[in-house]
């Protein structure tokens, strides 16, 4: 008498099923990883735009958060013997100076003071050069921004950015150079920004559809001058 045959799967069929299932799972994981990395890259670019827009806002809407224990005069910023009430010094906050870290992964923004009155100068450039500009290194007026998700600015975008209000006309201008000295960045060659400035972000291994970043429009004077690269705006 023969034994009844029970329905089931052979070993070969099971191996084929597991192989196909594994391949499908791997494909799904790769797709999810690519989506996550692409979103991280977008986050990094949007965050960079927000940072620069915030720096323009600080120049437009000045907040005097100067340390009371530091004095400011035509000699510069130094430790004060007696607390100094904000608004009573010889100095005026007129802008922000942004430098790029050596590896392009960070930006450092510091407050710029005018230690002399340059408001009677004939041109904006003369007004700024006659104002005795000094940088503040106090913690309350220094912002260190780290690019998100370990991305970095591409080599061509690692500049110094001087966003400053003219003591004579009151107009805000952006000067761009390649040094850590604001007076060097402030030169006749930079007086009229030649064109839009693209700050392209290196994805550093993230999966992406195209390199993007921020663009500062020519003659940038407000937060609206900084936009996300794309849609015909800027290029990398």
């Amino acid at each position: 008498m023969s034994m009844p045959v029970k329905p089931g799967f052979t070993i070969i069929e099971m191996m084929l099923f597991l192989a196909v299932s594994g391949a499908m799972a791997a494909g799904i994981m790769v797709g999810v990883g690519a989506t996550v990395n692409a979103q991280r890259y977008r986050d990094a670019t949007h965050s960079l735009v927000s940072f620069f827009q915030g720096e323009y806002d600080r120049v437009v809407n000045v907040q005097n958060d100067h340390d009371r224990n530091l004095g400011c005069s035509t000699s510069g910023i130094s430790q004060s013997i007696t607390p100094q009430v904000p608004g009573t010094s010889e100095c005026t906050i007129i802008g922000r100076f942004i430098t790029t870290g050596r590896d392009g992964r960070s930006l450092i923004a510091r407050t710029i003071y005018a230690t002399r009155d340059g408001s009677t100068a004939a041109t904006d450039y003369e007004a700024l050069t006659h104002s005795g500009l000094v940088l503040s290194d106090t913690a309350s007026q220094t912002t260190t921004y780290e690019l998100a998700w370990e991305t970095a600015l591409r080599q061509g975008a690692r500049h110094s950015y001087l966003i400053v209000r003219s003591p004579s006309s009151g107009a805000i201008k952006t000067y761009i150079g390649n040094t850590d000295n604001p007076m060097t960045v402030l030169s006749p060659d930079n007086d009229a920004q030649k064109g839009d400035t693209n700050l392209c972000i290196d994805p550093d291994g993230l999966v992406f559809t195209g390199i993007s970043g921020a663009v500062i429009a020519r003659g940038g004077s407000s937060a609206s001058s900084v936009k996300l690269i794309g849609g015909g705006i800027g290029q990398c």
Side-chain angles (χ1 to χ4, degrees):
M1 182 176 179
S2 61
M3 298 291 293
V5 178
K6 295 182 179 180
F9 298 101
T10 65
I11 293 178
I12 294 177
E13 289 173 331
M14 289 295 295
M15 292 178 64
L16 288 173
F17 171 77
L18 292 174
V20 171
S21 298
M24 292 177 63
I28 292 172
M29 293 301 294
V30 170
V32 170
T35 301
V36 170
N37 285 339
Q39 183 58 52
R40 287 177 175 176
Y41 185 69
R42 285 193 292 270
D43 288 345
T45 56
H46 282 278
S47 179
L48 178 66
V49 170
S50 296
F51 166 74
F52 269 94
Q53 288 177 338
E55 290 304 309
Y56 275 96
D57 283 338
R58 290 192 63 159
V59 178
V60 174
N61 305 299
V62 177
Q63 294 183 355
N64 189 355
D65 48 5
H66 182 69
D67 189 336
R68 291 169 57 91
N69 295 317
L70 293 177
C72 185
S73 65
T74 54
S75 301
I77 299 174
S78 59
Q79 194 72 30
S80 179
I81 298 176
T82 58
Q84 192 173 58
V85 178
T88 61
S89 74
E90 302 174 32
C91 302
T92 304
I93 297 175
I94 63 170
R96 298 283 282 176
F97 186 55
I98 305 169
T99 54
T100 308
R102 294 185 182 278
D103 58 359
R105 296 183 184 276
S106 63
L107 293 162
I108 301 172
R110 292 179 287 175
T111 296
I112 287 278
Y113 284 92
T115 60
R116 293 191 296 269
D117 182 10
S119 60
T120 59
T123 66
D124 290 335
Y125 173 70
E126 291 177 352
L128 290 168
T129 55
H130 294 165
S131 293
L133 304 185
V134 295
L135 274 174
S136 172
D137 287 318
T138 60
S140 63
Q141 295 181 324
T142 300
T143 302
T144 300
Y145 169 78
E146 301 285 344
L147 272 75
W149 301 111
E150 298 184 354
T151 54
L153 289 176
R154 305 195 86 179
Q155 191 67 38
R158 299 178 187 180
H159 304 301
S160 300
Y161 305 88
L162 176 61
I163 306 170
V164 65
R165 183 188 296 275
S166 167
S168 58
S169 69
I172 295 175
K173 287 191 175 183
T174 302
Y175 299 82
I176 299 174
N178 294 300
T179 74
D180 293 338
N181 186 339
M183 293 306 297
T184 303
V185 174
L186 180 65
S187 71
D189 292 336
N190 293 332
D191 187 50
Q193 195 175 328
K194 301 295 189 299
D196 295 350
T197 301
N198 299 313
L199 295 93
C200 301
I201 297 180
D202 190 335
D204 194 26
L206 295 179
V207 177
F208 65 100
T209 56
I211 296 176
S212 185
V215 57
I216 301 176
R218 178 185 178 187
S221 59
S222 67
S224 62
S225 303
V226 186
K227 300 183 184 300
L228 187 69
I229 290 177
I233 300 175
Q235 62 180 0
C236 288

